[in-house]
Amino acid sequence: MACQGNPMIRPGVFGRRGFLVAGSAAGLGLSLPELLMHQAAAEKKQYDFIKAKAKSVIHIFLPGGIAQQESFDPKPYSPLEYRGEMGTVKTNTGEVICNSLPRLAKQADKYCVIRSMSHGEAAHERGTHNMFTGYKPSPALQYPSFGAVVSHEYGPRNNLPAYICIPNVPNEYAGTGYLPSKYSGFALGADPARDDFKVRDLNLAGGVDADRFVRRREMLEKINQRFNSATSADNVSAMNTFYERAYGLLDTPAAKEAFDLSKEDAKMRDRYGRNQAGSRMLMARRLVEAGSRLVTLTYGSWDMHTNLTTGIKSQMPAFDQGVSALLEDLSERGMLDETLVMVTSEFGRTPKINADAGRDHWPKVFSVMLAGGGVKGGIIHGASDATATEPDSDPVSPADLATTMYHLLGIVADKELMAPGARPIEIVDGGKLVNNILV
């Protein structure tokens, strides 16, 4: 079974480096205990070398595949059928992005755009898998999402779930994969933009006071002790973990309060926008501020095969306002340097406008945005070619992006976790650090 949390050392489980060490040590006549001791010391030295720059991640996922041309990678000098109807706006760093993002244009010094993201999966499900796990889909194994891995490595903080999804777990690839179910994301269960928003299960049931709650909890623990001894099923262990975390939330007023948007000043609510995008992003800020390690939120539907310009003009303003407010707010609170904000989608859109005035799926090149948490602001990494057809320089894969994100969190991306059948599987296989964007 994999070691949980930190330190990141698994006694008795060899990774690739371990077998290399074993081969060389055998020639020196070391015993197995001596070999394990040397390996543990070497691994600890290696893992201690990575110092986390980000304490938390806010992952903003735009489902459907947002068009790079109508967002962060416009092509103003290409023919109309390629560049589309939208124009451009100059950023405060002298670059240009689509004029659908006027607020973000004024804050380009706070974020980095990777314009050379690339993978080969043109189906929504497979592209989503790539962007939530860093792996290509496999029929043999379900890989864990970023949030599940972070929850596994670090666990809860301040009695808040390590991994939270707004408003719900967005897709099947945002789950735990081969990791135990207890590392699942905590879903709010409702949209924080709703006037009647309330997070499920954060308050005692009607007629149950604190004393009655304690008695119920003690009774449940006695029953569970006998039941747990009779089974080792993952779902039973997970349920026990969920109960304990729920108790922690119920017993911690500050943790419960993090989910209450009514505690925010009305001007701050207006600043983010009283809509889905703004409310979800403001909630994400509250949750990482209170201690959650990775918050995933979704906004919009960007699968615009028809009437692309209309769709962009409808959905982009709330996104532009919400992300801009989030970056400003984090910066003003002194949180941006330790909070990684990551805006992704499953892929981009075709270089050429189709017959229905839309763009179709295109995984060969697209854009993502990163800010804070050890990422340089005010830079563009990589480039697409003149028609946004493929990378022109410095392509970045989902594995590279995942490796870089984990590195910023202080997690060694090629550390091996244990999959079913006692198979050691690397958190990310073959990813490279995107060093150019790191502070």
Side-chain angles (χ1 to χ4, degrees):
M1 183 175 179
C3 178
Q4 298 169 8
N6 281 341
M8 304 177 189
I9 298 172
R10 274 184 338 281
V13 179
F14 283 110
R16 296 179 183 178
R17 299 181 189 84
F19 284 113
L20 292 174
V21 172
S24 61
L28 299 176
L30 295 179
S31 66
L32 182 58
E34 290 172 323
L35 170 60
L36 293 174
M37 180 182 68
H38 281 285
Q39 183 192 2
E43 287 192 1
K44 187 175 191 306
K45 181 177 180 181
Q46 174 197 351
Y47 292 139
D48 284 348
F49 180 75
I50 294 183
K51 301 299 181 183
K53 293 184 177 180
K55 292 182 179 179
S56 304
V57 175
I58 296 174
H59 181 196
I60 301 168
F61 186 73
L62 306 178
I66 190 171
Q68 65 273 24
Q69 303 91 332
E70 278 71 32
S71 56
F72 294 106
D73 191 15
K75 297 298 176 182
Y77 304 113
S78 61
L80 179 62
E81 62 268 28
Y82 288 90
R83 71 173 182 266
E85 298 175 323
M86 303 293 291
T88 62
V89 60
K90 197 168 186 178
T91 71
N92 65 354
T93 59
E95 300 286 345
V96 294
I97 57 177
C98 184
N99 62 0
S100 63
L101 297 168
R103 295 176 187 247
L104 277 174
K106 298 176 182 178
Q107 296 196 64
D109 58 312
K110 291 185 178 70
Y111 60 82
C112 156
V113 174
I114 297 176
R115 286 179 171 169
S116 52
M117 282 297 305
S118 181
H119 63 70
E121 306 292 349
H124 287 294
E125 296 80 4
R126 296 178 69 85
T128 300
H129 184 285
N130 278 1
M131 300 306 291
F132 269 84
T133 68
Y135 269 92
K136 293 180 179 179
S138 166
L141 190 65
Q142 184 72 46
Y143 295 98
S145 65
F146 301 150
V149 171
V150 171
S151 180
H152 176 274
E153 293 299 294
Y154 286 129
R157 180 170 53 194
N158 299 342
N159 275 335
L160 269 178
Y163 174 29
I164 299 178
C165 300
I166 304 174
N168 293 299
V169 179
N171 54 71
E172 62 183 302
Y173 310 115
T176 60
Y178 59 74
L179 291 177
S181 300
K182 63 184 177 181
Y183 301 112
S184 299
F186 175 83
L188 270 58
D191 196 315
R194 292 176 50 162
D195 292 335
D196 61 348
F197 168 72
K198 182 181 293 185
V199 179
R200 61 190 177 195
D201 304 328
L202 280 191
N203 295 289
L204 296 178
V208 178
D209 59 19
D211 291 338
R212 189 177 179 187
F213 172 71
V214 170
R215 291 195 302 271
R216 284 185 170 189
R217 178 177 180 179
E218 290 173 349
M219 186 180 300
L220 180 63
E221 287 174 348
K222 290 178 181 178
I223 295 172
N224 282 344
Q225 284 176 2
R226 182 177 181 85
F227 187 65
N228 294 342
S229 64
T231 180
S232 59
D234 172 52
N235 57 350
V236 173
S237 173
M239 187 58 66
N240 290 334
T241 300
F242 297 150
Y243 274 126
E244 288 304 316
R245 291 178 183 173
Y247 293 147
L249 274 173
L250 290 170
D251 290 341
T252 311
K256 286 175 60 177
E257 190 172 292
F259 294 90
D260 189 354
L261 278 187
S262 70
K263 301 296 183 183
E264 287 290 337
D265 181 80
K267 291 183 179 179
M268 185 63 75
R269 295 288 305 273
D270 293 338
R271 182 176 174 184
Y272 273 82
R274 293 177 183 263
N275 49 49
Q276 284 190 352
S279 297
R280 293 177 185 185
M281 292 177 200
L282 179 54
M283 177 63 76
R285 189 271 288 162
R286 288 183 62 83
L287 293 173
V288 298
E289 186 175 34
S292 186
R293 299 185 186 277
L294 190 146
V295 176
T296 290
L297 69 92
T298 57
Y299 166 67
S301 178
W302 305 88
D303 193 24
M304 298 177 182
H305 292 273
T306 63
N307 301 319
L308 175 70
T309 300
T310 300
I312 290 291
K313 289 182 177 180
S314 171
Q315 297 196 48
M316 194 68 91
F319 168 79
D320 184 41
Q321 179 181 355
V323 178
S324 297
L326 177 63
L327 297 183
E328 286 180 335
D329 193 12
L330 290 171
S331 180
E332 291 165 4
R333 292 170 184 269
M335 293 173 58
L336 187 58
D337 287 344
E338 59 188 32
T339 305
L340 176 63
V341 178
M342 185 165 66
V343 179
T344 75
S345 194
E346 57 256 51
F347 40 58
R349 311 303 293 188
T350 48
K352 195 172 183 179
I353 299 288
N354 64 26
D356 296 315
R359 297 185 191 269
D360 302 315
H361 302 176
W362 195 257
K364 289 186 179 180
V365 69
F366 57 107
S367 298
V368 303
M369 191 200 91
L370 303 170
V375 170
K376 292 178 184 176
I379 67 169
I380 303 290
H381 176 83
S384 62
D385 62 15
T387 54
T389 300
E390 59 186 23
D392 192 53
S393 64
D394 301 314
V396 175
S397 71
D400 298 336
L401 181 65
T403 296
T404 303
M405 180 204 68
Y406 285 128
H407 174 84
L408 292 170
L409 285 167
I411 295 173
V412 178
D414 61 359
K415 175 190 172 184
E416 292 171 340
L417 305 180
M418 295 304 293
R423 294 172 55 196
I425 304 292
E426 293 179 335
I427 293 175
V428 183
D429 185 14
K432 303 183 295 296
L433 279 178
V434 188
N435 282 302
N436 184 55
I437 72 172
L438 303 182
V439 174

